[in-house]
Amino acid sequence: MENGRLDNRELHILEEFKQGRLELFYRHVYPGLLLFAVRHAGEVHDFLAEDCVQDAVFSAWQRRENFDSLPALKSFCYTSIRNSIVSLDRKQRAKERYVSQLEDEVVFNNSVIDQETQLLLHNAIQALPVKEREIFEMCYVEGLKNMEVAERLGVSESTVKKVKAKALDFLKDRLDPALFLFFFSCKNI
């Protein structure tokens, strides 16, 4: 007898669904569909689980005349939900691959740019006259203060300042203005 009641209830839910009255469907079938979607969506897509269920229900409703039993309707919904989640996963993986490729490309491009700019700076420094290069390297490469450079070379601090200023003028003329500012904007000149 119970099996007959279950069949009648299922038949009633299906008939109501086919007539566009979804209250019984949402009360008896929807919670199971939602639970299925949440479990299969995983943490990455759990917030989209309800959207997947809604899409499946709408798609089933559009084909409502094709269903001859509630199990067939449920099966269609479960399959639609699973397919939606698989599609979301594929899109997510494709997006991650694309972002990863972009990041790799940016890292490579930045590396090439860094190498090129360092080469430009190196070449410009190497073109400095010997005395100016020596003081420039002591100040900017070794990080020594003007007074320390003066003591090491046995010259006055004002001489170090003048030679350093002359070296910077030379480099300013040799390097692109933006590149010069980039290299020396953080240094105390």
Side-chain angles (χ1 to χ4, degrees):
M1 189 78 168
E2 179 152 328
N3 195 19
R5 269 193 262 171
L6 186 59
D7 287 343
N8 284 339
R9 188 179 85 184
E10 286 182 356
L11 197 57
H12 186 62
I13 292 170
L14 180 64
E15 287 305 314
E16 291 284 307
F17 184 85
K18 283 183 167 188
Q19 293 174 14
R21 294 189 295 268
L22 305 179
E23 182 182 336
L24 289 176
F25 180 84
Y26 274 100
R27 189 177 325 144
H28 296 286
V29 178
Y30 189 84
L33 297 175
L34 187 57
L35 183 62
F36 175 82
V38 168
R39 283 185 179 158
H40 286 82
E43 290 181 20
V44 175
H45 303 297
D46 65 350
F47 68 98
L48 295 173
E50 191 164 5
D51 290 345
C52 293
V53 175
Q54 289 291 342
D55 290 346
V57 171
F58 181 71
S59 184
W61 184 80
Q62 289 178 314
R63 296 170 177 80
R64 63 189 176 275
E65 296 302 321
N66 298 336
F67 299 108
D68 57 358
S69 69
L70 189 60
L73 171 62
K74 286 180 179 180
S75 177
F76 176 85
C77 288
Y78 283 120
T79 301
S80 294
I81 292 166
R82 183 180 48 83
N83 290 343
S84 292
I85 291 169
V86 167
S87 178
L88 287 172
D89 283 338
R90 283 186 186 139
K91 287 176 185 174
Q92 181 67 29
R93 277 183 272 151
K95 179 181 171 185
E96 288 169 0
R97 277 193 308 272
Y98 179 71
V99 167
S100 177
Q101 288 172 348
L102 281 178
E103 286 172 348
D104 291 346
E105 197 173 307
V106 166
V107 167
F108 174 76
N109 287 340
N110 286 344
S111 174
V112 169
I113 290 169
D114 286 346
Q115 288 174 5
E116 289 174 358
T117 55
Q118 287 177 9
L119 182 62
L120 287 171
L121 179 61
H122 175 76
N123 289 341
I125 292 170
Q126 293 306 310
L128 284 167
V130 177
K131 185 176 182 184
E132 291 172 18
R133 182 172 4 128
E134 182 180 25
I135 289 176
F136 180 86
E137 288 176 346
M138 291 174 105
C139 291
Y140 290 101
V141 177
E142 294 178 38
L144 299 176
K145 298 193 183 303
N146 291 342
M147 187 172 53
E148 295 170 321
V149 174
E151 288 174 5
R152 261 198 200 179
L153 297 176
V155 296
S156 70
E157 192 175 340
S158 67
T159 299
V160 171
K161 287 180 183 179
K162 287 176 189 174
V163 171
K164 192 166 117 177
K166 192 174 175 185
L168 288 172
D169 285 341
F170 179 84
L171 292 174
K172 191 185 287 187
D173 290 339
R174 284 291 191 98
L175 295 172
D176 178 82
L179 196 55
F180 179 83
L181 284 174
F182 173 73
F183 284 127
F184 300 106
S185 64
C186 299
K187 300 287 184 184
N188 292 332
I189 299 175

